[in-house]
Amino acid sequence: TLFSCTVVVPIVQPVVVLVVDDNADAHQLVQRYLQGSPYAFVGVRDPHQALARATELKPRVILMDVMLPGIDGWELLGRLREHPATHNTPVIVCTILPQERLALTLGAAGFLRKPFTRAMLLAALDRQIALLRGAH
């Protein structure tokens, strides 16, 4: 007797995370932390390009520092919240500053205090994706 079996494997699209941070080391760290996870790293070092990249890429989550050159991170957060293409995209503010309450008040969906571990980053991303799935 012959046995035939068909295995259907769903293609899982990576969850794009746009990382806005002017620090190259921060990009390397987040990229390393996301390896082997369902999250795909896309980095932007120039905060002036962040809104354009976000509207083009439509990331599921934006992870951003607030200490950025040339533009205030809080102002950028406001622009992301106001723009039709990104107003529903969760933004996790990621900074060394102890300003979680301010971040959440200004529209951030989450807050990560630097330095953070891989587990902390993945938990923060998982939380946002779970909330997005619950909203649909």
Side-chain angles (χ1 to χ4, degrees):
T1 59
L2 256 146
F3 176 73
S4 176
C5 177
T6 302
V7 177
V8 179
V9 179
I11 296 173
V12 178
Q13 292 293 329
V15 177
V16 176
V17 177
L18 180 64
V19 179
V20 182
D21 197 314
D22 61 307
N23 185 310
D25 292 337
H27 277 233
Q28 288 178 340
L29 181 69
V30 172
Q31 194 168 18
R32 193 170 70 239
Y33 281 177
L34 295 182
Q35 284 177 352
S37 80
Y39 301 104
F41 170 92
V42 177
V44 174
R45 292 197 39 209
D46 180 354
H48 296 285
Q49 296 174 356
L51 187 58
R53 289 292 282 156
T55 56
E56 169 195 328
L57 284 171
K58 297 175 181 46
R60 294 295 299 276
V61 181
I62 299 170
L63 181 72
M64 66 171 267
D65 192 5
V66 290
M67 296 194 310
L68 299 167
I71 183 171
D72 180 59
W74 304 117
E75 182 183 330
L76 179 57
L77 176 60
R79 290 182 193 174
L80 291 166
R81 292 286 56 99
E82 292 169 5
H83 196 284
T86 57
H87 76 279
N88 286 328
T89 306
V91 176
I92 300 172
V93 167
C94 179
T95 181
I96 199 163
L97 303 171
Q99 297 182 317
E100 181 171 7
R101 183 174 293 162
L102 177 61
L104 299 176
T105 300
L106 294 177
F111 183 85
L112 259 181
R113 180 99 183 262
K114 290 179 178 178
F116 54 86
T117 64
R118 180 177 195 264
M120 291 163 68
L121 173 61
L122 294 178
L125 293 172
D126 289 347
R127 200 165 27 256
Q128 295 307 320
I129 295 304
L131 290 170
L132 285 174
R133 289 194 176 121
H136 293 305

